[in-house]
Amino acid sequence: MDRLRLTKRGLLRRLVQLNACLAILPLAVHAQQETTESEDIEEVVVTGSFIRNSAFAQNSPVDTVSQSDLFESGAPSMSNYIRDMTYTQNTDVVSNVLATQDGSQDSVGASFNLRGLGENSTLTLVDGIRTIAASVSTSVPEIAIERLELVLDGGSALYGSDAVAGVVNIIPMKEFEGFRTRTFYQRTQDGAMEDMNLSAMWGKSFDNDVSYVGAFEARTKTPLMQYERPREWMMDDGSSVSGSPGTWRQNVGADPNINLYQSHGGTLEGSLLVDPACGTFNDGYPGHGQGKFPTPSGVPVGSFCRFEYTSMFAYSAESTDYNAYNTLTWEASDWLRFNATLNNAYRVSSLRTTSTTAVNGNNRAALIVRADHPANPWGFDVSPYTWRPIAHSYTHLPQHLDPGDGAREYEFHTSVNRLKVGAEYDISDSWVGYTYYSKQEMKSMSDSYSVHLGKLQLALEGQGGPNGNEYWNPFGTSDPRHPNFDPALGNSEELTNWIFERDANFVTSRDYLDIFETVATGDVVDLWAGTVQMALGYQWRDLEENNYANPFDAAGWDYNTVIGAPLPKDERFFSETRAIFAEFQIPLLETVDLQVAGRHEEFTDFGLETTTPKVALRWEALPSLAVRASWGESFLAPTPSQARPFVQGENCGEIFDGQDPFTGQQLTGGAQCSSGNPALGPETSEIRNFGFTWEPSGQLDGLSLSMDYQEIEYTDRIRSLTEEDTVAFQFQQFVAETGVSAGSYDPTPGSATRQQADAWLRQYSQNPSAPVVRDEDGNVQFVYRQDTNISSVWVDLFDVKARYTLNTNDWGTFAATLQSTYYETYEYEGLFGGRQPALGLQNADTGIVPPLPQYKANLRVNWFRDNQSASIAVNYWDNVEFDAVAIDRYGDGWTAPDTIEGEARTDVRYAIILDDYLNSEFTVSVGVNNIFNERPQQLPISGGFESRLSTPWGRQFWMSVEWLPGF
């Protein structure tokens, strides 16, 4: 049952909570990333603690990325920067339609994925506040980012749910005087892809103790189509058995009447019938992976006509981002400070996909071509088995398709709005408090075209078009390039446009997040070794998720809405959370202090509550050497939409990839559907960390060395099974229940083991909630996917960061920074039990872990002299073992390699500051990313290379100009 966002009773409850919190303000503080000064030492709050301290190294492993690190990298966006961090894996930068492990790969909206444990396992904060949108492109304009702070040993004890792998805090600038603007332009060597960015920041500190900072950023990225990278495309299995021309079967016993939006009532019998037009007009066109317009009439392969769709897809999607940031700070008195921050982000993503989808469940159940259809080549009733209405057709492409490659372009619009108001105040000489309220909204809209199922049914019966008297020809003879083309069999422009409906600027979802938090920190008691400090706080969060059904879908008119399944409807989900948390910093000796933290969190709408502790110890063994150790637990609660009820046939789409172990056939041709799971529980992790930071003086002055050893045990992970995982699990059930050996199983029809499997599947299909639905021949029709607590992961690793700065008299200053992560262990337990090794493997056949190089490192050398600087950076990842199934649809001779060779990409940069030019300061930077033009290793898999490790951009040139006016 829906609940109002704020009833009178709810308002009263909030007021009671607010007053209770204000009553304990002398015992509470917020984690502010600000610097305060005492008489002789500087006390700083760093992400990972609510308590100020003056230590040069923290109790937990914390990495900091400065504004200059982002700028000097030459990365066109933060998404590209974080992909190369040694402790991140599987960051969504390259689009790959078939690779869905650990989230989609659409190159839009990348977020942090620490340790490859999942993007949802890293809590992203903006100015210390959790954000409704984890995408880094919607945080704040990059010109206004002061630094990033990353806690690498979990953080639920302080920050709550989602901080399983760690915490990232994006800290914006709060003070700035003047005006600064920056332009950035980058393009690939061949000009196929461009990145452009214009940003500005302005600020002023007024005499009345008011400070203001504003910033704006506009960024646009052009698409990189797959046909623009023929080297990678050459080995890509970008094809489907569902095309036009397609494959058909005889329909027996169908209702002679038209059953709009319902089943035709017949059964499909006999062998597969390949459209006779398949492969008949490919002469003069390039072959697989060799050009923009390949194989327009498909390629006959076995009992199917394969449709190559990769010319319609992009390796990098087109997108435009706008981001505005405004913050106002008022020093009301010497003990009270107010702050208000407003952040607004808007993104338009122009994605590309096939001209039409292939919803084979509807094709087989609802569509029929009668024997008397003028284009029917067989003379009896047939229904499409693997087919889509339009592929590479010349027959009057609909007006919304790209005339160049036939791609269907559709837009996603995403807006994120955040408002935060807060106050920081001195409670006493040793106590400070902070209270804030944040209101956030994220809205998504879609603008696309869909096939109207009812109109398509009518058109196949000769009742289509504006006048209701036209036939839709679903066969290859509709194309003028067919050798026996008859204009009477062509599909008119009016008919083609008529069968499509536009979903213009439809709001698909709208989410709200409200947060109230109050915290205070201060001294508690003096011990002989020092003062015990304490922080105590309360947080209330209210998340509302609204998913809206497209009216076109809700009426059952959409070709993509599975008939017989419940029609989609608007859904509303809630998650209210209340938490109390405390932290103590206890000096055990003058050089040893103990940090103890804990948080109790209640999810009132789930009936779920959990308490997470953390203990950390720091020993300053020398003035230049600090040793640390920490242990903590973290958790991740399911989202409201993940825990929604399961509805069979919900959110269905085409299966593009995978192999069925029962039949030995590809899963392409079936449909996959996803729904909720109300039985979900929280994910939990336990992290142990041991490390040190050494900053020596004397002859080694300028050296900073930090190393950490970490053990992670991550249990009950919520994963959405891939189609392959789901079908493979079904096969494992068959093996376990029948005693048939997987090694001796023969998928050939008629074999003893196949007959045994067919009998088992018939019994299995009696279960109405079975996750796999098959036809009478055993072929997969539907795979139902759910988020499930299905896996555990065990990780042991080393993080190392070293920096050395050398000052010379004549040659300037040199600084070298090395950062590396070495995994000693990375194992997982999935559906089939037992620990499975993941380290050094591609992990192609599981959605539980990504490709995992054992070693990943970054080395950067900077040079500074007067107003000039330069840098060279090398990013490296180690070999991984190739374990995917090599796919060679067309007999091109592709074979599986043993290893995916590691990559070392080198970037160079030079900058000069013109500080006395037109009464202004200009910083001009130029650079070349991937200067040696390293390209991904060609692999016979989806995408043509391992897109979760490599990028197909090649060499890129960039230039940036920053202007700081003299006024």
Side-chain angles (χ1 to χ4, degrees):
M1 180 181 295
D2 289 350
R3 60 179 173 87
L4 296 176
R5 287 188 53 73
L6 196 58
T7 62
K8 290 182 178 179
R9 182 179 178 185
L11 177 60
L12 177 61
R13 185 170 70 249
R14 301 294 175 266
L15 291 174
V16 171
Q17 292 172 350
L18 175 61
N19 282 284
C21 294
L22 293 175
I24 63 164
L25 285 178
L27 303 175
V29 77
H30 183 33
Q32 263 314 88
Q33 326 308 341
E34 301 223 8
T35 303
T36 61
E37 293 188 3
S38 65
E39 294 181 0
D40 351 90
I41 59 172
E42 185 181 23
E43 291 186 322
V44 203
V45 171
V46 177
T47 306
S49 175
F50 289 123
I51 297 174
R52 291 175 170 86
N53 69 76
S54 58
F56 69 91
Q58 302 303 309
N59 300 47
S60 294
V62 177
D63 190 26
T64 301
V65 178
S66 67
Q67 167 72 215
S68 60
D69 290 328
L70 292 171
F71 180 59
E72 293 172 8
S73 70
S77 67
M78 202 193 310
S79 300
N80 287 269
Y81 181 88
I82 65 177
R83 178 188 176 101
D84 294 327
M85 288 180 163
T86 63
Y87 37 72
T88 60
Q89 302 282 355
N90 197 22
T91 304
D92 179 14
V93 172
V94 182
S95 179
N96 188 343
V97 66
L98 303 186
T100 58
Q101 290 93 331
D102 191 28
S104 64
Q105 285 185 250
D106 56 15
S107 75
V108 175
S111 55
F112 281 89
N113 190 344
L114 296 179
R115 314 299 188 192
L117 295 174
E119 294 181 339
N120 60 338
S121 302
T122 301
L123 176 62
T124 301
L125 309 175
V126 176
D127 196 21
I129 301 171
R130 68 172 54 225
T131 172
I132 195 170
S135 170
V136 295
S137 63
T138 64
S139 56
V140 294
E142 290 181 21
I143 195 172
I145 294 177
E146 181 177 323
R147 66 188 186 277
L148 310 179
E149 289 183 344
L150 302 98
V151 180
L152 301 175
D153 66 343
S156 288
L158 294 174
Y159 299 103
S161 176
D162 307 343
V164 182
V167 180
V168 177
N169 193 4
I170 302 172
I171 302 171
M173 293 186 177
K174 295 288 186 63
E175 292 185 6
F176 179 73
E177 191 78 26
F179 178 83
R180 172 184 292 155
T181 183
R182 181 185 299 165
T183 61
F184 177 92
Y185 174 77
Q186 177 174 278
R187 56 165 280 172
T188 56
Q189 181 171 296
D190 59 356
M193 182 176 70
E194 298 173 294
D195 281 283
M196 292 156 278
N197 182 15
L198 173 64
S199 56
M201 181 171 64
W202 53 93
K204 178 69 175 175
S205 295
F206 300 95
D207 294 337
N208 57 357
D209 295 321
V210 173
S211 299
Y212 166 76
V213 177
F216 178 78
E217 178 180 69
R219 181 190 305 275
T220 186
K221 179 181 66 171
T222 63
L224 180 70
M225 301 300 294
Q226 286 199 231
Y227 63 74
E228 295 178 291
R229 288 292 179 266
R231 176 186 173 275
E232 285 74 25
W233 182 19
M234 187 182 302
M235 298 184 74
D236 179 18
D237 170 45
S239 66
S240 172
V241 295
S242 295
S244 183
T247 304
W248 303 73
R249 292 184 72 183
Q250 184 175 6
N251 188 313
V252 178
D255 191 326
N257 300 311
I258 303 175
N259 299 322
L260 289 183
Y261 315 112
Q262 299 178 44
S263 171
H264 47 57
T267 58
L268 305 188
E269 299 181 357
S271 59
L272 296 178
L273 306 170
V274 179
D275 188 330
C278 181
T280 59
F281 47 92
N282 290 334
D283 291 345
Y285 291 89
H288 165 65
Q290 297 175 3
K292 188 174 179 181
F293 308 104
T295 58
S297 61
V299 178
V301 179
S303 299
F304 298 98
C305 186
R306 298 204 74 88
F307 157 55
E308 182 164 358
Y309 53 73
T310 40
S311 65
M312 300 178 176
F313 280 91
Y315 280 131
S316 179
E318 180 180 3
S319 64
T320 301
D321 290 87
Y322 304 97
N323 205 324
Y325 166 75
N326 292 275
T327 186
L328 190 69
T329 302
W330 176 34
E331 296 271 353
S333 68
D334 58 358
W335 64 272
L336 179 62
R337 295 159 294 280
F338 292 100
N339 175 256
T341 299
L342 179 64
N343 179 217
N344 307 94
Y346 192 85
R347 180 197 301 134
V348 181
S349 305
S350 298
L351 307 179
R352 286 169 167 80
T353 185
T354 53
S355 308
T356 51
T357 58
V359 184
N360 299 302
N362 281 357
N363 290 346
R364 299 165 188 173
L367 302 182
I368 183 171
V369 176
R370 308 287 181 179
D372 59 359
H373 188 293
N376 189 331
W378 293 290
F380 48 77
D381 291 354
V382 293
S383 287
Y385 191 75
T386 55
W387 170 82
R388 69 186 69 225
I390 296 176
H392 287 300
S393 174
Y394 264 5
T395 307
H396 300 297
L397 286 178
Q399 57 191 5
H400 63 276
L401 298 184
D402 189 316
D405 51 35
R408 175 166 54 98
E409 184 176 346
Y410 59 102
E411 289 187 349
F412 272 105
H413 297 241
T414 303
S415 63
V416 178
N417 302 298
R418 303 182 188 90
L419 172 66
K420 185 203 75 172
V421 291
E424 184 181 0
Y425 36 85
D426 298 334
I427 301 170
S428 67
D429 291 341
S430 63
W431 278 84
V432 296
Y434 186 84
T435 301
Y436 74 83
Y437 171 75
S438 174
K439 189 173 187 63
Q440 306 179 37
E441 175 203 44
M442 181 169 66
K443 181 172 70 173
S444 297
M445 296 184 296
S446 172
D447 188 351
S448 64
Y449 284 81
S450 301
V451 174
H452 192 295
L453 178 60
K455 290 183 178 181
L456 182 59
Q457 289 177 296
L458 289 171
L460 291 175
E461 301 276 1
Q463 300 179 29
N467 298 320
N469 60 356
E470 294 184 68
Y471 272 102
W472 174 267
N473 181 359
F475 304 105
T477 51
S478 67
D479 196 299
R481 294 167 291 187
H482 189 276
N484 301 321
F485 175 71
D486 182 347
L489 300 179
N491 297 318
S492 70
E493 183 176 359
E494 293 77 15
L495 173 62
T496 304
N497 287 321
W498 178 78
I499 68 171
F500 286 89
E501 292 283 340
R502 183 182 182 186
D503 310 323
N505 297 323
F506 163 66
V507 178
T508 59
S509 65
R510 195 166 191 168
D511 302 337
Y512 301 92
L513 176 63
D514 295 293
I515 307 174
F516 171 81
E517 182 172 298
T518 184
V519 193
T521 185
D523 298 342
V524 178
V525 63
D526 291 329
L527 301 179
W528 70 273
T531 302
V532 176
Q533 293 178 287
M534 171 186 174
L536 183 67
Y538 169 85
Q539 185 185 84
W540 166 80
R541 304 193 306 269
D542 191 26
L543 174 64
E544 177 184 327
E545 296 182 353
N546 294 277
N547 298 325
Y548 299 107
N550 188 320
F552 184 58
D553 299 350
W557 297 345
D558 192 342
Y559 171 73
N560 297 304
T561 302
V562 177
I563 63 168
L567 293 174
K569 61 182 180 179
D570 293 350
E571 295 177 306
R572 198 178 189 190
F573 307 102
F574 298 93
S575 177
E576 184 185 30
T577 307
R578 303 168 188 169
I580 57 172
F581 49 93
E583 179 187 7
F584 293 88
Q585 186 141 326
I586 305 169
L588 303 180
L589 300 170
E590 290 187 3
T591 58
V592 180
D593 65 58
L594 176 69
Q595 179 191 20
V596 180
R599 185 181 184 107
H600 181 76
E601 200 146 308
E602 295 181 354
F603 298 83
T604 59
D605 293 276
F606 294 160
L608 171 70
E609 60 181 278
T610 183
T611 301
T612 49
K614 184 173 182 178
V615 179
L617 192 69
R618 184 181 70 239
W619 172 37
E620 293 190 13
L622 299 171
S624 60
L625 175 65
V627 181
R628 58 181 164 268
S630 64
W631 168 87
E633 295 179 349
S634 293
F635 72 100
L636 188 156
T639 66
S641 58
Q642 284 178 322
R644 71 188 188 276
F646 174 73
V647 178
Q648 205 168 46
E650 183 182 39
N651 300 324
C652 295
E654 183 180 1
I655 296 178
F656 286 99
D657 199 18
Q659 190 172 34
D660 180 7
F662 283 99
T663 64
Q665 301 297 317
Q666 292 295 307
L667 295 175
T668 52
Q672 56 87 16
C673 310
S674 59
S675 189
N677 183 358
L680 284 175
E683 303 179 1
T684 59
S685 75
E686 182 178 340
I687 300 180
R688 293 171 290 276
N689 192 90
F690 309 91
F692 69 86
T693 297
W694 183 40
E695 296 181 355
S697 56
Q699 292 184 340
L700 293 178
D701 187 28
L703 173 66
S704 175
L705 176 63
S706 178
M707 185 170 74
D708 287 273
Y709 171 73
Q710 193 169 109
E711 297 176 347
I712 303 172
E713 183 176 351
Y714 190 0
T715 58
D716 295 324
R717 294 183 69 207
I718 299 173
R719 297 287 87 188
S720 180
L721 294 177
T722 64
E723 299 86 48
E724 285 183 280
D725 283 331
T726 305
V727 177
F729 184 55
Q730 184 189 40
F731 184 74
Q732 290 293 326
Q733 288 178 288
F734 161 72
V735 169
E737 292 180 16
T738 62
V740 173
S741 166
S744 63
Y745 179 79
D746 181 4
T748 305
S751 71
T753 52
R754 176 63 185 273
Q755 289 180 1
Q756 195 171 355
D758 290 341
W760 185 87
L761 287 170
R762 281 192 294 270
Q763 182 179 5
Y764 179 90
S765 64
Q766 311 268 331
N767 180 0
S769 61
V772 182
V773 176
R774 298 172 180 268
D775 62 18
E776 63 276 10
D777 297 324
N779 297 310
V780 171
Q781 286 190 295
F782 290 95
V783 176
Y784 299 114
R785 301 168 55 198
Q786 281 182 291
D787 288 322
T788 314
N789 297 99
I790 60 168
S791 73
S792 297
V793 176
W794 295 267
V795 185
D796 299 332
L797 60 93
F798 290 92
D799 281 330
V800 178
K801 185 174 184 178
R803 180 178 176 87
Y804 181 66
T805 303
L806 175 65
N807 296 313
T808 68
N809 294 326
D810 300 322
W811 296 94
T813 300
F814 294 86
T817 303
L818 172 67
Q819 189 165 31
S820 65
T821 296
Y822 177 84
Y823 290 98
E824 188 176 68
T825 304
Y826 207 118
E827 297 177 332
Y828 71 96
E829 180 181 34
L831 289 169
F832 314 128
R835 290 195 182 191
Q836 305 294 322
L839 186 57
L841 302 177
Q842 183 188 9
N843 300 309
D845 296 328
T846 178
I848 297 176
V849 288
L852 283 164
Q854 186 168 26
Y855 181 66
K856 196 174 177 182
N858 295 329
L859 172 65
R860 187 169 73 184
V861 178
N862 292 79
W863 167 75
F864 308 91
R865 183 184 181 190
D866 299 327
N867 61 345
Q868 300 180 78
S869 65
S871 66
I872 181 170
V874 180
N875 302 295
Y876 172 77
W877 53 265
D878 201 6
N879 300 347
V880 298
E881 181 181 330
F882 181 86
D883 55 23
V885 176
I887 304 171
D888 184 8
R889 304 286 187 207
Y890 305 115
D892 294 321
W894 307 137
T895 56
D898 294 327
T899 302
I900 302 176
E901 301 293 338
E903 287 185 2
R905 194 191 69 243
T906 305
D907 305 330
V908 297
R909 167 190 170 271
Y910 170 78
I912 184 169
I913 299 175
L914 307 175
D915 55 2
D916 190 17
Y917 186 74
L918 299 177
N919 195 32
S920 300
E921 179 181 288
F922 290 87
T923 301
V924 181
S925 304
V926 294
V928 183
N929 289 339
N930 192 6
I931 191 170
F932 299 116
N933 200 27
E934 292 287 337
R935 300 293 290 274
Q937 181 178 344
Q938 294 172 287
L939 300 171
I941 58 174
S942 303
F945 66 98
E946 182 44 81
S947 57
R948 293 171 291 167
L949 292 174
S950 301
T951 64
W953 321 142
R955 185 182 291 119
Q956 296 171 284
F957 299 91
W958 63 271
M959 179 177 182
S960 175
V961 178
E962 185 171 285
W963 174 42
L964 190 64
F967 63 83

